[in-house]
């Protein structure tokens, strides 16, 4: 029996008490990790995993980056908590973010996690525009707190409670399966007609909340002009442009802020995940000063929001992005990754589409009739896990394999990832017993995981 099995057996009583429904693997396959370094994870038996998920984009700087670890340790020995008062590192991080921010006259608010700053953006929109609703996009993900769930179409949760429906849902430009049935080259953003229709028929809308590319629900990348079009709509109708970069920000798309890739300046930018290198739950609202100052002091906040430990980690995490040129790395390695994936998988009819910017790439698996190959994607994910390769799966039909490695990944690790994806895909395609076995285990296709 392996150490992991022993561990699971010994811990079975406590595991029974642990809500592990967040895990997207069947219980016996749920990995237990004890160590991480760069793009590698290790289980108690010393088995190594190549991590192409990076904590759902929370580890752009890689696992246990020494500089961020050192800053946390030093801060833990110096000052850990001040609550509502200031700390030197909080002021320093706010200054750094305001300087980097593409929004002129940026004011910074710190919080504890992604969903909380989504809720913050909702409050700011209401305060600044006097209107409580937003336009959000189909297949988006903005968190699972009741406030964030009120802003987008999250069917999985809606049956549980009567949350206020403070959104109108518009189609996202998912060009591989165009929501209005057109071709990307000649569509002229026809899908945005949905946004205009909503705006022409309602006068209670204060903002548009959008992801720079769909993350949790599959890496779906809009055409580059999308953000500029939205900016124009926001200007025309007096709406706030809320850019949810919680998953795509901080170098992932090859620029520090994802909106910079689109050459567009939003009114509010939301950050979390990699902002503290995945080592502390920190999140951020960057907003125009006049928006941020429209609320009464103390409206946004939480006991541990902007705690010194998070801010120290945040300062180190940004330094790592700058010093190691992670934006440039992501841009260059992203091009390399896409080229190699396209070369390798061009002959595989199950690979319908490969889409991505920087180191955020989605491989969409399809059946011969073009329908989503959801079961095969699930099998690939599970087979890969059993062979030491961690993959994420998303997309509206959960048939997209998302590749979101840490930005410190090397070319040879990218080559290794491609080889291992292919090896596991071949297993799925040619070993029918895998299909049989996997069909019999718990399906995770209905759980929302990010
Ligand atoms: C785009 C986006 N917004 C919001 C969230 C919610 O963040 P959190 O899980 O920290 O609440 C996520 C989480 O994956 C996300 O990807």
């Amino acid at each position: 029996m392996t150490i992991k099995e022993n561990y699971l057996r010994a811990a079975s009583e406590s595991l029974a008490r642990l809500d592990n429904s967040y895990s997207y693997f069947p219980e016996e396959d749920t990995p237990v990790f004890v160590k991480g370094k760069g793009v590698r994870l290790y289980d108690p038996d010393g088995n190594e995993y190549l991590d192409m998920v990076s904590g759902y984009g929370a580890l752009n700087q890689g696992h246990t980056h020494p500089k961020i670890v050192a800053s946390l340790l030093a801060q833990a020995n110096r000052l850990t908590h001040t609550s509502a008062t200031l700390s030197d590192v909080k002021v320093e991080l706010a200054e750094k973010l305001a300087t980097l921010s593409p929004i002129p006259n940026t004011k910074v608010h710190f919080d504890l996690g992604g969903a909380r700053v989504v809720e913050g953006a909702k409050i700011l929109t209401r305060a600044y525009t006097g209107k409580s609703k937003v336009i959000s996009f189909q297949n988006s993900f903005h968190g699972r707190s009741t406030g964030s769930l009120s802003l987008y179409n999250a069917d999985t949760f809606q049956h549980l409670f009567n949350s206020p429906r403070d959104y109108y849902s518009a189609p996202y430009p998912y060009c591989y399966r165009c929501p209005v049935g057109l071709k990307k080259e000649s569509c002229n953003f026809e899908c945005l007609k949905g946004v205009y229709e909503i705006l022409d028929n309602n006068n209670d809308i204060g903002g548009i909340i959008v992801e720079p590319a769909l993350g949790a629900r599959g890496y779906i990348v809009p055409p580059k002009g999308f953000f500029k079009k939205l900016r124009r709509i926001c200007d025309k109708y007096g709406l706030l442009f809320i850019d949810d970069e919680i998953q795509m920000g901080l170098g992932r798309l090859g620029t520090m802020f994802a909106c910079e890739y689109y050459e567009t300046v939003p009114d509010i930018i939301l950050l979390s995940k990699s902002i503290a290198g995945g080592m502390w739950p920190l999140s951020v609202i960057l907003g125009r000063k006049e928006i941020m100052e429209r609320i009464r002091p103390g409206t946004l906040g939480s006991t541990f929001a902007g705690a010194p430990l998070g801010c120290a980690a945040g300062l180190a995490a940004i330094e790592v992005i700058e010093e190691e040129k992670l934006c440039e790395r992501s841009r260059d390695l992203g091009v390399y990754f896409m080229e190699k994936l396209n070369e390798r998988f061009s002959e595989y009819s199950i690979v319908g589409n490969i889409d991505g910017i920087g180191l955020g790439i989605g491989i969409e698996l399809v059946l011969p009739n073009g329908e989503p190959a959801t079961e095969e994607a699930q099998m690939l994910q599970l087979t890969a896990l059993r062979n030491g390769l961690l993959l994420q799966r998303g997309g509206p039909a959960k048939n997209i394999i998302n590749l979101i490695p840490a930005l410190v990944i090397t070319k040879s690790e990218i080559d290794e990832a491609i080889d291992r994806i292919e090896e596991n895909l071949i297993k799925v395609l040619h070993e029918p017993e895998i299909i049989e076995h996997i069909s019999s285990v718990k399906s995770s296709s209905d759980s929302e995981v990010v």
Side-chain angles (χ1 to χ4, degrees), residues 42-237:
Y42 301 86
D43 74 9
D45 299 296
N47 295 315
E48 189 180 274
Y49 293 72
L50 178 60
D51 180 7
M52 300 304 285
V53 180
S54 69
Y56 309 123
L59 295 155
N60 287 2
Q61 302 83 348
H63 289 276
T64 58
H65 192 292
K67 179 158 194 160
I68 311 173
V69 172
S71 85
L72 266 175
L73 292 176
Q75 188 62 42
N77 277 314
R78 218 163 54 83
L79 175 72
T80 57
H81 191 54
T82 60
S83 197
T85 55
L86 292 176
S87 65
D88 54 351
V89 276
K90 187 175 184 177
V91 176
E92 240 185 279
L93 181 59
E95 179 63 30
K96 179 78 192 170
L97 286 166
T99 311
L100 289 173
S101 168
I103 300 175
N105 232 346
T106 292
K107 198 160 174 169
V108 183
H109 167 74
F110 292 116
D111 219 304
L112 284 176
R116 284 192 54 89
V117 287
V118 169
E119 294 189 357
K122 177 179 179 180
I123 291 168
L124 287 164
T125 304
R126 175 75 180 85
Y128 188 73
T129 65
K131 307 204 170 156
S132 56
K133 299 212 174 181
V134 299
I135 293 178
S136 59
F137 290 88
Q138 287 159 14
N139 302 315
S140 303
F141 185 88
H142 298 291
R144 40 166 82 72
S145 63
T146 50
S148 58
L149 287 168
S150 70
L151 292 186
Y152 72 105
N153 184 356
D155 291 338
T156 324
F157 304 90
Q158 298 300 5
H159 69 285
L160 292 173
F161 48 83
N162 294 322
S163 70
R165 194 178 183 276
D166 285 334
Y167 69 89
Y168 297 95
S169 203
Y172 196 81
Y174 177 11
C175 301
Y176 181 64
R177 298 182 188 278
C178 173
V180 289
L182 296 174
K183 290 261 167 286
K184 186 176 179 174
E185 303 69 39
S186 53
C187 71
N188 205 15
F189 286 101
E190 193 71 10
C191 57
L192 282 179
K193 270 201 176 152
V195 172
Y196 283 109
E197 265 163 36
I198 293 167
L199 286 166
D200 290 340
N201 290 304
N202 300 282
N203 58 10
D204 52 359
I205 300 166
I208 296 183
I209 184 165
V210 62
E211 288 177 85
L214 297 188
R217 291 185 173 170
Y219 270 63
I220 293 169
V221 181
K224 196 160 180 184
F226 178 53
F227 258 41
K228 280 195 178 149
K229 293 266 180 203
L230 289 184
R231 178 71 268 177
R232 261 180 244 138
I233 293 174
C234 286
D235 291 342
K236 181 170 172 204
Y237 288 85

Side-chain angles (χ1 to χ4, degrees), residues 22 56 112-116 118 141-145 148 211-213 215-216 244-248 270 272-273 283 449-450:
Y22 191 64
Y56 309 123
L112 284 176
R116 284 192 54 89
V118 169
F141 185 88
H142 298 291
R144 40 166 82 72
S145 63
S148 58
E211 288 177 85
D244 179 350
E245 301 201 0
I246 286 166
Q247 188 158 154
M248 296 295 162
L270 307 178
S272 188
K273 296 201 185 261
S283 58
V449 175
V450 284

